DNA sequence: CGACTTTCTCCCGTCACAGGACAAAGGTGG
DNA sequence: CCACCTTTGTCCTGTGACGGGAGAAAGTCG
């Protein structure tokens, strides 16, 4: 099924589409208040959008003291697909044109099985969402992968934790399989876009979005736009050195942040503590399941286990140390912490805050909120929908 | 004397002015090749610019196989003033509209004497340049100060090394005194703009410009535009911590980069080495002048003094460590090293390169040049001229 | 010297756009 | 229920921006 063949013909139409996406259904008069076009021009553009089918009439708006205005909204049948491929699981969600999540599936998966196997699973999940009646088809999809991406082509480049993905034409392949336009980006950038669209970063132009999961990455937003760097690897802060000649890291270097704090490092440290009998709580959990993960540490910490709390604090300090440097350098208006380990919650946040507020200059930290992301696992998929809608809602 | 009352009336005119600024005199036909306007439209806009006096006719161009085209150039009487206020000296230069330096004065000065005294000196220097026949007046001035600036207002905010400058209305005051438009920015940003306009960064969209002088700062250029951060303190990397619980720094923290490497720290380390008799070369120089500076260390290193070389290498390593982190984070297309200590030259550069290429990921360093700035002390003043010309050559 | 190219100016047709006039539809106060 | 005001939407027209053709001017090349 072919869908949404139309695209905005000019910048005005694109502007209107984005207003409707971000502000929901709106009256023609309200749109007029926001766009600075003459009434005639506005009417022409809206009529053209109605002709294309991208937007539809939606009844009458409440009166503002005179004649009631006609409501306009994005076509209710439009559907975007957001796909967030993590190291160990996939999130797939379907949204409407206003980027509201209509259905969301999460499944475990190993990214190391390679693109073919992963996309088979993703397509099955998408089919399941479609079969459940949430969508008749998809008008576009935004995909996040856990590694650097050459953005214009939508191709992963030299991803450390994704063997077999290097150079795989993700965008082209998925576009073919799904039969709709596709955009591909780093998962961290997607999270940043999600929090920007529907989360804590709604009104901030310049911010950082630190995602701590299996690895550590950082989404960079400059003037409302994601910054990707010269080769698409911007934000790759997991391998910043925090300890000269420190722990060996999987990347071959020593003392990387990821070697000290990340889902994997935390699990390893917890298992070591359990072995050494330093924590009753962790030892019990280890005997139960045979291994430990960040979730176990979070649970132990919630139960008040001092060793678990120490592990979290130590990791938070390391992370805070790096973030403090980034804050001095980048002077953001907001720092968002997200990803799998947000379950560690306020212990982690407190450690990071302490470190940043102590190390960075007052001018940079004076009015700097450091907060947890508020969307959790939906940040990525909303970001994906946002990515593709930004693309589709721009002049052809 | 009132000058350059005219401003471009629209984006097309602004575009043309910038092309003439960056590309020098140009024929109408050549301009047409670059701007994608119809011949009629182009002719109209050029004629209007000629009417305002911002550009003037300049003879005939060489033939390109047919009728010769008329040359156009920016008004030859236009003059911009570039002022680079450092911690211990001021640079003032006058440029033409193509930002070529026509005259350049450097004088020692202590920024701690406060804005009134400093500006008195700056105005005297500007008057001297004018008196020497290089300019009849100034059409605009760009000022760089060694501290964070609230850019839109042109006011320093909480500058650590500039007591008495906090909140001083630099832009307004100088605009009054000079009788022309003024823009104010951080000196490091000016250096970045200078290297971008006329130096090594000419064709790079995203790059970092690290200035090592009395302090250490970093200009950040994103998509060809200087990024200043939320409060104008972006790039303040001198107080990133390189050693937990390390040397005390003037800022009150411990282990800051500036405490280990900067003009001041290097001088102190050199004096200590001289005291301890670790270096014949440095001791001799110390006895000669009673104190040591970065220049002495550079001279000693040039003479092959191992202690001096070690000092430079150690500092380079620290700096490289920080830059490596920034490279991972920002993924620039180029890193420029500049400022007072560039006299330390390739010893310093080699140490920085080693550190960066070893610590950052291959994808980020793969094609990353790390080079010395090629403009030296003129980078700042050219950047100043560029700053104000960007402002004036934009639609009113 | 003639054929071809390039540049520049003039001119005209088209189209985008703003804003006024007016009709439609609602509120408000008596 | 009616007169009067406000808001919204539509239609129309005048203005001005713009592209591109025609043709003159100025050169090159063989």
């Amino acid at each position: 099924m072919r869908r949404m063949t139309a695209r905005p013909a000019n910048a005005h139409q694109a502007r209107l589409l984005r207003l409707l996406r971000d502000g929901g259904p709106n009256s023609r008069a309200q749109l007029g208040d926001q766009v600075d076009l003459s009434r005639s021009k506005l009417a022409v553009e809206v009529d053209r959008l109605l002709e294309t089918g991208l937007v539809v009439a939606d009844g009458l708006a409440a009166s503002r003291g005179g004649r009631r205005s006609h409501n306009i909204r994005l076509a209710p049948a439009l559907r975007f697909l957001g796909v967030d491929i993590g190291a160990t699981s996939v999130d797939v969600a379907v949204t409407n044109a206003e980027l509201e999540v209509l259905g969301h599936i999460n499944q475990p998966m190993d990214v190391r099985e390679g693109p073919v196997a992963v996309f088979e699973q993703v397509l099955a999940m998408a089919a399941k969402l479609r079969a459940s009646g949430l969508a008749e088809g998809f008008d576009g999809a935004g995909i996040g992968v856990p590694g650097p991406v050459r953005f214009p082509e939508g191709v992963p480049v030299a991803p450390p934790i994704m063997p077999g993905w290097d150079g795989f034409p993700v965008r082209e392949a998925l576009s073919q399989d799904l039969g709709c336009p596709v955009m591909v980006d780093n998962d961290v950038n997607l999270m940043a876009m999600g929090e920007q669209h529907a989360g804590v970063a709604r009104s901030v132009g310049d911010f950082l979005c630190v995602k701590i999961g299996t690895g550590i990455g950082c989404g960079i937003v400059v003037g409302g736009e994601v910054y990707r760097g010269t080769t698409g690897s911007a934000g790759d802060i997991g391998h910043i050195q925090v300890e000269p000649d420190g722990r060996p890291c999987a990347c071959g270097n020593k003392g990387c942040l990821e070697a000290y704090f990340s889902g994997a490092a935390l699990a390893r440290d917890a298992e070591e503590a359990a072995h050494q009998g330093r924590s009753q709580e962790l030892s019990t959990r280890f005997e139960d399941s045979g291994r430990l993960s960040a979730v176990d540490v979070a649970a132990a910490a919630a139960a008040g286990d001092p060793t678990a709390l120490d592990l979290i604090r130590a990791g938070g300090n390391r992370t805070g140390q790096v973030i403090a440097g980034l804050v001095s350098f980048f002077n953001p208006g907001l720092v968002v912490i997200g990803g799998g380990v947000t379950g560690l919650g306020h212990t982690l946040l407190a450690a990071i805050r302490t470190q940043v507020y102590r190390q960075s200059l007052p001018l940079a930290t004076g009015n700097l909120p450091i907060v947890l992301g508020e969307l959790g696992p939906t940040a990525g998929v909303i970001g994906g929908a946002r990515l593709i809608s930004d693309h589709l809602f721009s002049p052809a």
Side-chain angles (χ1 to χ4, degrees), chain A:
Chain A
M1 176 178 178
R2 232 180 132 88
R3 303 170 52 89
M4 189 172 159
T5 53
R7 288 278 294 275
N10 58 44
H12 298 309
Q13 292 185 13
R15 178 88 200 284
L16 291 171
L17 291 175
R18 290 182 190 208
L19 282 173
L20 291 171
R21 177 193 66 186
D22 301 341
N26 236 309
S27 73
R28 292 166 98 108
Q30 279 177 309
L31 288 176
D33 294 344
Q34 298 172 69
V35 294
D36 193 46
L37 290 176
S38 68
R39 282 198 309 256
S40 12
K41 175 77 175 153
L42 177 65
V44 168
E45 298 298 355
V46 170
D47 285 346
R48 284 186 190 155
L49 285 175
L50 284 168
E51 271 174 41
T52 66
L54 282 174
V55 307
V56 297
D58 190 36
L60 288 171
S63 165
R64 295 198 295 184
R67 174 175 174 175
R68 295 168 65 192
S69 184
H70 292 270
N71 266 338
I72 298 291
R73 59 171 303 180
L74 288 167
L78 285 176
R79 291 292 179 273
F80 295 130
L81 196 68
V83 179
D84 189 357
I85 298 175
T88 59
S89 73
V90 210
D91 283 271
V92 177
V94 58
T95 78
N96 60 12
E98 280 100 14
L99 311 192
E100 291 160 354
V101 174
L102 304 178
H104 185 171
I105 313 181
N106 173 288
Q107 282 186 7
M109 176 229 51
D110 188 344
V111 75
R112 286 169 299 182
E113 289 182 17
V116 177
V118 168
F119 287 144
E120 208 170 303
Q121 187 173 348
V122 167
L123 290 172
M125 292 165 81
K128 195 164 150 192
L129 286 169
R130 189 161 44 191
S132 66
L134 295 171
E136 296 181 10
F138 301 109
D139 301 281
I143 320 288
V145 297
V149 170
R150 208 180 315 126
F151 185 70
E153 293 89 16
V155 174
V157 276
I161 67 166
M162 300 161 66
W165 288 71
D166 190 11
F168 187 89
V170 174
R171 181 177 181 180
E172 202 184 310
L174 271 182
S175 178
Q176 202 108 53
D177 290 339
L178 288 168
C180 66
V182 170
M183 295 287 280
V184 184
D185 203 346
N186 188 307
D187 61 338
V188 186
N189 292 341
L190 250 52
M191 175 181 158
M193 295 180 80
E195 292 288 349
Q196 183 187 25
H197 181 84
V200 285
R202 253 174 302 241
S203 55
V204 190
D206 305 314
F207 69 93
L208 298 179
C209 193
V210 178
K211 182 172 179 178
I212 311 173
T214 305
I216 295 191
C218 177
I220 308 168
V221 176
V222 175
E225 300 272 310
V226 171
Y227 172 79
R228 300 187 172 83
T230 302
T231 56
S233 77
D236 211 331
I237 63 172
H239 301 280
I240 290 181
Q241 201 177 45
V242 291
E243 189 83 42
D245 251 333
R247 285 192 190 177
C249 174
C251 75
N253 265 321
K254 288 182 175 179
C256 296
L257 173 58
E258 269 188 28
Y260 287 92
F261 191 57
S262 64
L266 193 61
R268 201 187 51 194
D269 286 349
E271 289 181 359
E272 192 181 313
H275 262 295
Q276 298 179 353
R278 280 187 289 146
S279 157
Q280 188 57 48
E281 192 79 33
L282 289 174
S283 298
T284 314
R285 291 179 162 272
F286 183 66
E287 280 159 25
D288 280 2
S289 62
R291 57 198 199 81
L292 290 173
S293 75
V295 178
D296 296 301
V297 181
D305 181 75
T307 306
L309 286 170
D310 277 349
L311 285 178
I312 297 173
R313 272 193 221 106
N317 283 341
R318 300 278 188 190
T319 313
Q321 193 180 327
V322 170
I323 295 180
L326 302 184
V327 165
S328 292
F329 172 72
F330 185 71
N331 186 20
L334 170 70
V335 175
V336 182
I337 311 288
V341 297
T342 32
L344 306 177
H346 284 271
T347 310
L348 174 64
L349 195 58
I352 292 176
R353 280 181 174 156
T354 306
Q355 210 67 11
V356 173
Y357 290 142
R358 209 180 55 188
Q359 279 187 31
S360 299
L361 287 183
L363 184 57
T365 56
N367 198 11
L368 174 69
I370 302 178
V371 299
L372 293 175
E374 73 184 24
L375 300 179
T378 60
V381 290
I382 292 178
R386 164 76 187 240
L387 176 67
I388 189 65
S389 77
D390 266 350
H391 175 70
L392 294 176
F393 293 169
S394 63

